[in-house]
Amino acid sequence: VTSERFLKFFVNGFVWTILLKFLFLPRLRKILPPEALGAVRVLEIGCGAGESTKIFKTWFPRAFITATDYDASQVGEAIVRCASTPGIEFLAADASHLPHGNGLFDVVIETNTFHHVKDWRLAIGEAGRVLKKGGIFAIMDEGRQITSFPVFRIIDRPESVFGIEDFGAELKDAGMSIEEIKGRGIFYIIAKKY
């Protein structure tokens, strides 16, 4: 079994769904500003098989959600899993070259994705580009305390290793202010485009 196959098996399975639903995403939701919940256009970068997308639809019930993933097979799985959930579109897209216009989204969400993006700095810039002025970028990802751990590198094979400080600096360079930061190994950030 290759690490890529194991990773896909894990993130498409019930254990990851439970972790998302009851551990990781509630922590992100807790720091999301209340005004963000009225969003009309939401972009999810790295939707995987769509489990997080279904959760985000409950957070943003009025929003049309565009959910993207680099892996077209994951997008296909997400389409199947979310077929009965209206107000969502899925597309295969590279986080570092998003196919969307400038200032289109009220909220952009990245959960556990950018450590899989080779040019994560460019991906942050793209998130900022597609956000409206005043828009919110909600982030949950894994910092170097986790991604540089040898066992993790064998199982997950991250494309990038960064710390929360690196991520924060790139957000500022992309025209966003940091509103809140929580955690270190697994970190949560709320940024606002100015």
Side-chain angles (χ1 to χ4, degrees):
V1 171
T2 66
S3 60
E4 185 177 319
R5 286 179 58 201
F6 173 79
L7 180 61
K8 196 174 280 192
F9 171 78
F10 178 72
V11 299
N12 290 346
F14 75 94
V15 173
W16 182 246
T17 300
I18 297 294
L19 288 171
L20 277 176
K21 195 171 193 173
F22 297 106
L23 180 64
F24 298 130
L25 294 184
R27 291 178 179 175
L28 184 60
R29 171 64 181 84
K30 188 174 182 177
I31 64 170
L32 199 63
E35 65 271 14
L37 300 177
V40 176
R41 295 286 317 255
V42 174
L43 173 65
E44 179 185 12
I45 301 173
C47 66
E51 293 303 322
S52 55
T53 314
K54 288 191 284 190
I55 294 167
F56 296 143
K57 189 61 182 165
T58 68
W59 294 6
F60 307 101
R62 294 181 32 219
F64 184 82
I65 297 177
T66 300
T68 66
D69 201 280
Y70 185 77
D71 184 339
S73 69
Q74 289 290 80
V75 170
E77 180 68 25
I79 290 168
V80 170
R81 289 188 185 196
C82 297
S84 64
T85 308
I88 301 171
E89 73 173 341
F90 292 95
L91 11 128
D94 181 344
S96 56
H97 301 287
L98 294 170
H100 307 92
N102 298 345
L104 189 61
F105 296 97
D106 303 300
V107 174
V108 174
I109 305 173
E110 177 268 306
T111 54
N112 210 39
T113 299
F114 282 13
H115 71 274
H116 291 293
V117 177
K118 189 171 188 129
D119 195 344
W120 62 275
R121 289 176 176 91
L122 188 55
I124 289 174
E126 282 290 277
R129 180 184 66 75
V130 300
L131 262 177
K132 291 179 179 176
K133 185 176 181 180
I136 297 295
F137 186 20
I139 300 136
M140 188 269 308
D141 216 315
E142 299 167 359
R144 75 170 44 92
Q145 295 87 340
I146 292 176
T147 56
S148 61
F149 190 66
V151 172
F152 182 88
R153 292 189 67 76
I154 291 167
I155 295 169
D156 194 17
R157 299 182 69 183
E159 290 282 331
S160 299
V161 176
F162 45 74
I164 195 167
E165 300 82 9
D166 306 320
F167 212 94
E170 290 300 322
L171 288 166
K172 289 176 184 172
D173 287 349
M176 292 179 263
S177 61
I178 297 170
E179 304 294 303
E180 186 143 7
I181 296 179
K182 298 283 186 194
R184 297 224 41 91
I186 294 176
F187 62 83
Y188 304 84
I189 300 175
I190 299 297
K192 183 182 267 189
K193 183 174 179 178
Y194 48 78

